[in-house]
Amino acid sequence: DVMTFYKDRKAEPEATDALLVLSFDAAGIVMRHDSLRAGARRAAENAEPAPFPPKLKTGEKPNRKRMAQVAAVYGVAPFIRTSEDILGELDCTGLRDTSKPTAKRPRPTNKGVWASVKRASSAVIDEAFQEALRRDPERKRTWVVLVDGHADQLRAVRRAVAKYGVQLTIVVDLIHLIEYLWHAAYCFHAAGSAEARGWVVEKLRALLGGARPSDVAGGMRRSATLRKLEKRAAVDKCAAYMIKLAAYMTYSAAIARGLPIATGVIEGACRHL
């Protein structure tokens, strides 16, 4: 039904300079035991009967879900902003100025969203590339891929890039990075404090201003060492995440080109799924 809907839907006109955006994520879907993948099914069958509502220990999983791969393809006009524009849009920074009019954000056009709990992520990602090529067969538009940094997704994206011979920019979602930064901030400052907020804003301003993620990550680790923090796991986890995905966190260059840096479109699809 989903693919028939898109086949029959009349496409909106798109400007030739509109960005072509592909975005990928995964959503956990509650399944019957016999429909779980092998590992989760064994864990579910061996688990003790859970009370209702279930009370799980920290880090414990209910073994009731399997992941659906979600894909989105859409067009959107470039939207050039500065680092201070981005910081002012984020509620978590506390820098939003309600007295100033907000710049009108361009609306995505011809948005297509679909998902599969049955097929592998590589198959769904391949479908998205085929759809993008159908929209831009001569590869004249600027292609952007938005992801949250999941290793399997990135491998599948890189394989599709090589397979179809397209040039594109991969961007890791800024909001996912902010979540890591907040956890790291609470190693240095009290949770919910103005100091923690200021720490997050400082790191974001540096990254959006063009600082190398590896440099920011190294500074966090050095600071944790100098302060002799006993509980620093969140700092090291955040730093490792930034170093691993540094090539896809060139936010300053992305916003200067008017590229999106957040995965709101695909997150909305996952929420509904």
Side-chain angles (χ1 to χ4, degrees):
D1 291 344
V2 172
M3 302 319 289
T4 301
F5 166 79
Y6 286 124
K7 181 180 177 182
D8 294 342
R9 186 178 66 166
K10 185 177 180 181
E12 298 179 51
E14 281 190 50
T16 55
D17 62 346
L19 305 172
L20 186 55
V21 183
L22 299 83
S23 189
F24 307 105
D25 205 344
I29 307 298
V30 176
M31 309 293 290
R32 289 164 51 99
H33 280 189
D34 56 5
S35 292
L36 291 169
R37 291 190 172 91
R41 184 173 65 250
R42 286 193 296 270
E45 290 170 348
N46 294 333
E48 296 180 3
F52 186 84
K55 295 181 179 179
L56 301 178
K57 299 176 183 177
T58 302
E60 192 176 22
K61 295 183 179 180
N63 299 308
R64 297 187 302 134
K65 296 181 178 181
R66 60 187 286 178
M67 301 305 288
Q69 181 66 42
V70 190
V73 180
Y74 59 93
V76 68
F79 186 41
I80 297 174
R81 292 168 289 175
T82 67
S83 59
E84 293 304 314
D85 291 334
I86 302 293
L87 290 170
E89 291 176 355
L90 296 167
D91 288 329
C92 68
T93 65
L95 299 176
R96 185 185 292 274
D97 187 350
T98 56
S99 65
K100 293 183 178 180
T102 304
K104 188 175 181 181
R105 185 183 299 272
R107 183 178 64 86
T109 56
N110 297 321
K111 181 175 69 174
V113 182
W114 66 98
S116 176
V117 74
K118 184 177 181 180
R119 296 193 302 282
S121 62
S122 57
V124 177
I125 288 171
D126 195 80
E127 283 180 350
F129 272 79
Q130 292 179 30
E131 169 61 17
L133 282 168
R134 186 189 66 79
R135 299 183 184 204
D136 183 30
E138 298 182 6
R139 301 168 175 81
K140 290 184 176 181
R141 295 169 64 177
T142 299
W143 289 39
V144 185
V145 170
L146 291 169
V147 291
D148 62 11
H150 191 279
D152 288 342
Q153 285 181 344
L154 280 171
R155 279 192 291 268
V157 167
R158 288 193 289 263
R159 283 196 296 268
V161 169
K163 177 180 178 180
Y164 294 109
V166 295
Q167 292 186 336
L168 51 75
T169 300
I170 300 174
V171 180
V172 166
D173 173 43
L174 180 69
I175 307 304
H176 276 78
L177 173 58
I178 290 174
E179 292 176 3
Y180 279 89
L181 288 173
W182 273 111
H183 288 300
Y186 294 154
C187 294
F188 295 102
H189 305 286
S193 65
E195 290 79 9
R197 185 188 298 273
W199 189 91
V200 171
V201 170
E202 177 191 349
K203 305 309 175 191
L204 280 175
R205 182 170 277 124
L207 291 165
L208 291 167
R212 295 194 303 175
S214 57
D215 290 342
V216 176
M220 291 163 47
R221 282 178 166 165
R222 285 191 296 274
S223 181
T225 300
L226 290 172
R227 296 191 188 195
K228 299 180 180 180
L229 296 182
E230 293 182 3
K231 296 182 178 180
R232 55 174 291 170
V235 175
D236 292 326
K237 186 176 181 180
C238 179
Y241 178 77
M242 292 168 63
I243 292 170
K244 175 184 173 184
L245 299 170
Y248 312 121
M249 292 182 176
T250 54
Y251 299 120
S252 177
I255 59 177
R257 295 172 59 197
L259 308 186
I261 59 173
T263 56
V265 168
I266 200 78
E267 295 290 344
C270 290
R271 177 171 58 86
H272 285 290
L273 188 63

